Amino acid sequence: MCNRYFGTVAVLLLFASMSSEQADQAANAEKQKAANGQQKVAPQKENDAGDAIAAMMGGAHIDKEAAERGRKLFVPACGFCHGNDAHGKSGPDLVRSALVLHDDKGDVLGPVMRNGRPERGMPAFSALSAEQIADISAFLHSRAADVKNRFAYKIGDLITGDAEKGAAFFNGDGHCGSCHSATGDLAHVATKYEPVELQRRMLYPAPNLIDVFLGRAVTPPAPTRVTVQLASGERVSGTLDHLDEFAVSLHDSAGWYRSFSRESVTVDVHDPRAAHEGLLATYTDQEMHDVMAYLETLK
């Protein structure tokens, strides 16, 4: 698992390096055309996943005051096409734009904004000063920085449901009370976890790779239990080791490994996470929010 993870990271970094080089070439071409005084700007190359990874390699300081000035200019002038958050609307996403990522205080964006792109329906903003373009550039770079910095990302308010309805679902149609108790394993659960972590554990109770990578305390998931009944009536129970359409294997309470053909036995599996996974296919959005609101009352 570890080797596979780091192998994937290496492939992504290699891909990012190749894509970044291509983006550099596109940005350099824009700068050269601006230096030569050419009016026509080459079409922006299509973005791909590598551009987003290349963006994550950056870390330039963002002038927050300049970014705020740029936001006030960008929203009324550009937001109708590129979205107020620059993630795109009828126009392209500028957060992942190669030109934006390689722009420095408007040296790449300036010619594009002043000349426009009539063939794509983008008007010219010839009245913008160099300082205004630099501020817009700072705003766009701040949006890219917000996206790349996952650890600083702020989750919006998750508590939008009805706690009373959530309690009713918890103890009723959701059958959550058959495994959990508000005064038992879930007592004070809302004080143990932030809302976003609590919601993740509600939907996907197994530990995730990020927890392990960050060195957080991780409680191993409860093992899946299985009971195998033989044709003779004998029942063998233990921790499930493997199950497919042909065979079932387990370790019994004494630690012995047992394996059986599925042709001659009946199998009863108890997976603590199965109920959570089953609910994912039947939950409505409102039911998820209601249960989350109920869990937040358990403090």
Side-chain angles (χ1 to χ4, degrees):
M1 170 71 96
C2 192
N3 290 337
R4 183 184 304 171
Y5 172 75
F6 286 111
T8 301
V9 171
V11 171
L12 288 175
L13 289 176
L14 177 60
F15 182 59
S17 176
M18 295 171 61
S19 178
S20 180
E21 181 179 353
Q22 293 174 347
D24 284 336
Q25 294 173 355
N28 289 335
E30 293 289 344
K31 292 181 180 181
Q32 185 62 44
K33 288 181 180 180
N36 293 337
Q38 296 183 16
Q39 296 298 313
K40 186 176 180 181
V41 179
Q44 180 179 348
K45 84 176 188 67
E46 294 295 327
N47 295 319
D48 56 24
D51 291 328
I53 298 172
M56 295 176 66
M57 303 303 168
H61 171 71
I62 302 296
D63 184 334
K64 294 183 179 179
E65 292 183 359
E68 178 59 20
R69 292 195 302 267
R71 183 190 68 80
K72 292 178 179 178
L73 291 167
F74 180 90
V75 170
C78 314
F80 68 93
C81 206
H82 295 286
N84 290 346
D85 59 359
H87 269 299
K89 203 172 180 181
S90 59
D93 180 349
L94 297 181
V95 175
R96 296 180 62 244
S97 166
L99 297 184
V100 171
L101 293 175
H102 291 80
D103 177 82
D104 182 17
K105 298 181 180 179
D107 62 342
V108 174
L109 291 176
V112 176
M113 297 184 69
R114 288 198 180 98
N115 298 328
R117 283 183 166 169
E119 74 281 3
R120 296 190 179 187
M122 176 181 171
F125 296 90
S126 55
L128 288 174
S129 68
E131 290 76 16
Q132 290 175 319
I133 291 175
D135 288 344
I136 292 174
S137 171
F139 166 67
L140 293 176
H141 281 294
S142 73
R143 294 296 302 121
D146 289 342
V147 170
K148 76 174 184 181
N149 191 351
R150 300 298 184 185
F151 297 103
Y153 186 75
K154 295 181 180 179
I155 303 295
D157 186 11
L158 297 176
I159 317 305
T160 60
D162 185 314
E164 291 186 5
K165 291 181 180 179
F169 183 86
F170 183 95
N171 295 302
D173 292 344
H175 304 290
C176 309
S178 62
C179 293
H180 303 288
S181 167
T183 57
D185 64 322
L186 295 182
H188 313 296
V189 70
T191 62
K192 297 177 182 178
Y193 306 108
E194 293 295 323
V196 64
E197 178 65 10
L198 181 57
Q199 179 173 277
R200 184 190 70 76
R201 288 173 177 268
M202 178 186 83
L203 299 175
Y204 305 98
N208 63 25
L209 184 60
I210 293 178
D211 291 332
V212 177
F213 182 76
L214 295 179
R216 294 172 178 166
V218 174
T219 302
T224 299
R225 305 284 299 176
V226 62
T227 297
V228 178
Q229 181 169 328
L230 283 63
S232 63
E234 179 187 359
R235 296 167 65 89
V236 180
S237 298
T239 302
L240 180 65
D241 183 75
H242 177 77
L243 177 67
D244 59 30
E245 61 269 34
F246 304 108
V248 56
S249 59
L250 58 90
H251 282 85
D252 63 20
S253 57
W256 288 98
Y257 177 80
R258 307 285 298 274
S259 181
F260 307 91
S261 169
R262 295 282 307 264
E263 292 183 353
S264 57
V265 301
T266 57
V267 179
D268 181 21
V269 177
H270 177 65
D271 182 354
R273 297 177 299 278
H276 287 263
E277 294 172 358
L279 279 174
L280 289 176
T282 60
Y283 264 136
T284 66
D285 288 345
Q286 188 58 52
E287 286 168 342
M288 287 185 188
H289 290 302
D290 290 344
V291 174
M292 180 63 191
Y294 168 61
L295 293 177
E296 270 295 300
T297 67
L298 306 180
K299 296 184 176 180

